Amino acid sequence: MGEIKILLAEDHLVVRNGIKLLLNSQTNFNVVADVSNGMDALQTLSSDVEVDVVITDLGMNNLDGLQLIQEVTAKHPHIKVIVLTMLDCEQHMFKAFEYGAKGYLVKNVGSDELIFCINHVAQGGKYLCEELAMGFINSGIEKNRSKDLEFDPVALDLTSRELEVLELLGEGLTNLEISKKLFLSKRTVEGHRQNLIDKTKSKNTPALIKYAVLNGLIQ
């Protein structure tokens, strides 16, 4: 793709100059403006300066990064916004994407990842830095492990017939309908249903179905 014109909003001068130097070292990047706050960024965008991507910090005076994202999204929807911040909390990340950001990076990100993110976003993609993405994955793994510890389907000792009855209960069939479908007496089906309630420690049939769905016993 052609040259990517970048506006950099960062309130720390040394950090801003360092990022600008890095970006301008890339043949397809051009930092056309760098400012210290969101208000100056909006004024720049309202001038004749052509911008493809805005890279912004979040904690700035005179209009912070989240407000800037909202303003850019509303007034300049063709411009992509990437957050580059020290704030690695989920709340700020969710808000940034909700307001229209296309990328979110923490400031300890490597130069290669920063460059990749800009190119990817400029071409229409979205990007979450590896550190935060892996944090979500590891959190999900831990939640799954906890869930596995809480529920052991083998420990329920359900018979194949009980699982058949459970599946049909989940489909909304009555005891009589199940008995006809499985060629069992209605009393036998009622016995299987009660065994399922007892084994899962459910209060009633609706609670049994809810338990089965939550624990993956039925779809």
Side-chain angles (χ1 to χ4, degrees), residues 29 111-121 127:
F29 291 173
S111 58
D112 288 344
E113 190 173 5
L114 171 59
I115 292 166
F116 173 84
C117 174
I118 296 170
N119 281 311
H120 183 66
V121 167
Y127 189 81

Side-chain angles (χ1 to χ4, degrees), residues 31-99:
V31 180
V32 295
D34 61 283
V35 298
S36 62
N37 59 71
M39 192 63 69
D40 287 348
L42 289 180
Q43 290 175 354
T44 301
L45 292 175
S46 298
S47 67
D48 294 331
V49 177
E50 187 177 338
V51 174
D52 301 307
V53 173
V54 170
I55 299 177
T56 181
D57 194 0
L58 289 184
M60 300 182 295
N61 296 321
N62 297 330
L63 200 78
D64 65 24
L66 288 176
Q67 293 173 301
L68 176 59
I69 295 169
Q70 290 177 290
E71 292 289 335
V72 173
T73 301
K75 298 177 180 178
H76 310 278
H78 64 286
I79 296 177
K80 313 294 195 303
V81 182
I82 296 171
V83 173
L84 181 60
T85 179
M86 291 295 294
L87 301 174
D88 60 357
C89 63
E90 293 182 6
Q91 180 182 1
H92 286 93
M93 185 205 65
F94 288 144
K95 282 295 183 184
F97 280 112
E98 178 186 344
Y99 291 162

Side-chain angles (χ1 to χ4, degrees), residues 148-187:
D148 289 342
L149 290 174
E150 292 171 2
F151 173 72
D152 180 6
V154 176
L156 291 177
D157 193 28
L158 301 181
T159 67
S160 59
R161 183 63 79 184
E162 287 169 345
L163 288 171
E164 284 181 312
V165 171
L166 179 59
E167 184 71 32
L168 294 174
L169 285 171
E171 293 176 7
L173 274 64
T174 65
N175 289 340
L176 180 58
E177 290 171 330
I178 294 173
S179 69
K180 291 179 180 179
K181 193 174 185 67
L182 298 181
F183 303 103
L184 300 171
S185 69
K186 182 182 176 183
R187 185 170 182 176

Side-chain angles (χ1 to χ4, degrees), residues 90 94 135-151:
E90 293 182 6
F94 288 144
F136 280 119
I137 291 173
N138 290 331
S139 176
I141 290 173
E142 289 303 316
K143 287 180 180 178
N144 282 336
R145 284 176 178 170
S146 297
K147 186 175 181 180
D148 289 342
L149 290 174
E150 292 171 2
F151 173 72

